[in-house]
Amino acid sequence: MAEEKMGFFKRLVAGLNKTRDNIVSGMDSIFHGFSKIDEDFYEELEEVLIMGDLGVKATYAILDDLRKKVKEQHIKEPIECRQLLIDSIKEQMDVGETAYEFENQTSVVLVIGVNGVGKTTTIGKLAGKMRGQGKKVVLAAADTFRAAAGDQLKEWAHRSDADLIGGQEGADPAAIVYDAVAAAKARKADILLVDTAGRLHNKKNLMEELKKINRVLEREYPEAYRETLVVLDATTGQNALSQAKEFSDVADITGIILTKMDGTAKGGIAVAIQAELGIPVKYIGVGETIDDLQKFDSDEFVQALFTTEEKKEEGEE
């Protein structure tokens, strides 16, 4: 397990390359380029953080905290601010203990996300992970508006050895969830993973649909633990943050899954989401394979983001 963890940390360090080049190299040039800590120094830092998609709210909070620490500790050298800034970012991302309660109980996990964010693939990877833990998994293909979603999920169900219910284009999502609950009960499944509609442009429709699904679950499966995860594409930066906000208007979101972290310079969005919404990022994707979707640890994320070239090379032997 420790070896797998280390392997993922290395992949995380590698996956954050573009974000590191965008944010950390900018910060480091400020730490080295300034001879004193003044307003210009803070302004430059502010620009780097905002441009790195940490979000305005989180950036201001991080810099307020940094100013306070600099004053309290009588710090004079800009380079001494590096670790303080890392600590401030970690503090901003603190949303308390992130629970994965659904893994330990009979659960229903609703997964929401607009088309194109990697939602169906992510559900497939989650199913694979749960199967790897020896759990019995049923998948419900309730995103019936996207023609390819059912076929895609069928492929993942086959790959992860999970049972699939639904998948017919145009079918009623709530009816599929009803069938899937019956199947989950009959097969004594540990986890029912539901792929739900990914439309945000018509929030009213989405809201109605989620209400119907929730009514079915409350009536037919009241004993199951409930989790609602939103899948966001990290490459879209601030757009991912606004999607998360919109989804949290229509559903009780318990966690975020951030995909495509390895393909973006906007990885700072993970900071913005936790700091601004207070919703934990529960999983992070840094590549294509099942192992590249891992539980998210904000301390580890910030550590990996600030891991310098020398440390990376040491870890690559």
Side-chain angles (χ1 to χ4, degrees), residues 142-182:
D143 183 356
T144 57
F145 290 85
R146 189 164 72 84
D151 293 342
Q152 213 181 340
L153 206 55
K154 191 183 287 180
E155 175 55 38
W156 274 104
H158 178 68
R159 225 187 279 186
S160 57
D161 189 26
D163 295 338
L164 179 72
I165 306 296
Q168 309 79 10
E169 193 186 341
D172 175 39
I176 288 171
V177 172
Y178 180 88
D179 291 344
V181 167

Side-chain angles (χ1 to χ4, degrees), residues 5 18 33 60 64 110 115 122 146 161 172 197 236 282 291:
K5 197 83 180 136
K18 290 181 180 175
Y60 287 168
D64 284 350
L110 290 187
N115 292 339
T122 299
R146 189 164 72 84
D161 189 26
D172 175 39
T236 63
K282 291 202 171 181
D291 290 338

Side-chain angles (χ1 to χ4, degrees), residues 1-305:
M1 189 62 201
E3 197 177 301
E4 185 198 323
K5 197 83 180 136
M6 189 54 222
F8 182 67
F9 186 75
K10 265 204 252 179
R11 289 205 295 277
L12 184 58
V13 170
L16 291 173
N17 261 342
K18 290 181 180 175
T19 297
R20 185 181 303 106
D21 290 347
N22 185 19
I23 302 175
V24 180
S25 58
M27 280 182 204
D28 283 346
S29 68
I30 295 168
F31 294 140
H32 293 292
F34 275 78
S35 55
K36 63 179 193 296
I37 299 170
D38 56 11
E39 267 317 299
D40 288 347
F41 168 77
Y42 286 120
E43 269 178 31
E44 292 273 329
L45 272 182
E46 181 184 309
E47 190 175 330
V48 167
L49 292 172
I50 288 174
M51 296 302 282
D53 276 283
L54 273 82
V56 176
K57 195 175 166 191
T59 296
Y60 287 168
I62 288 162
L63 290 178
D64 284 350
D65 190 49
L66 182 65
R67 285 173 192 265
K68 197 170 100 215
K69 285 173 178 162
V70 165
K71 209 169 179 177
E72 281 170 1
Q73 298 173 31
H74 308 292
I75 284 163
K76 298 280 178 275
E77 296 298 320
I79 192 65
E80 290 176 47
C81 290
R82 192 179 195 268
Q83 189 54 48
L84 294 179
L85 189 74
I86 293 172
D87 294 341
S88 294
I89 292 173
K90 285 182 179 176
E91 281 163 33
Q92 270 308 301
M93 292 183 80
D94 182 23
V95 287
E97 188 63 39
T98 302
Y100 295 87
E101 205 47 54
F102 70 93
E103 291 187 351
N104 311 316
Q105 305 186 33
T106 301
S107 301
V108 177
V109 181
L110 290 187
V111 186
I112 310 176
V114 297
N115 292 339
V117 295
K119 173 169 62 99
T120 306
T121 303
T122 299
I123 292 168
K125 288 180 182 178
L126 265 181
K129 283 197 148 346
M130 298 302 133
R131 289 291 295 129
Q133 293 175 18
K135 296 189 187 307
K136 196 160 180 42
V137 180
V138 170
L139 292 173
D143 183 356
T144 57
F145 290 85
R146 189 164 72 84
D151 293 342
Q152 213 181 340
L153 206 55
K154 191 183 287 180
E155 175 55 38
W156 274 104
H158 178 68
R159 225 187 279 186
S160 57
D161 189 26
D163 295 338
L164 179 72
I165 306 296
Q168 309 79 10
E169 193 186 341
D172 175 39
I176 288 171
V177 172
Y178 180 88
D179 291 344
V181 167
K185 284 177 169 175
R187 296 165 201 186
K188 294 189 169 48
D190 299 296
I191 292 177
L192 170 58
L193 279 174
V194 183
D195 184 2
T196 62
R199 300 175 324 291
L200 247 186
H201 54 273
N202 189 335
K203 283 209 287 190
K204 193 172 180 300
N205 276 5
L206 179 64
M207 208 168 192
E208 285 310 310
E209 194 169 297
L210 289 170
K211 272 187 193 159
K212 276 169 71 179
I213 287 172
N214 281 322
R215 278 200 298 269
V216 168
L217 291 171
E218 277 155 21
R219 195 177 62 235
E220 302 298 325
Y221 214 12
E223 69 273 26
Y225 181 84
R226 300 285 300 280
E227 183 91 35
T228 304
L229 303 175
V230 167
V231 181
L232 301 170
D233 176 345
T235 62
T236 63
Q238 289 299 305
N239 195 21
L241 182 64
S242 42
Q243 276 178 27
K245 281 179 179 159
E246 289 193 56
F247 277 124
S248 61
D249 287 345
V250 298
D252 181 16
I253 306 304
T254 55
I256 305 278
I257 302 177
L258 264 182
T259 63
K260 308 183 193 180
M261 206 60 151
D262 53 319
T264 185
K266 299 170 188 273
I269 197 61
V271 182
I273 285 168
Q274 293 210 160
E276 291 200 21
L277 297 179
I279 299 173
V281 174
K282 291 202 171 181
Y283 291 91
I284 179 175
V286 289
E288 294 306 308
T289 72
I290 278 190
D291 290 338
D292 290 319
L293 181 74
Q294 289 281 351
K295 286 179 179 172
F296 181 75
D297 175 317
S298 52
D299 280 4
E300 193 179 69
F301 168 80
V302 177
Q303 218 51 60
L305 185 57

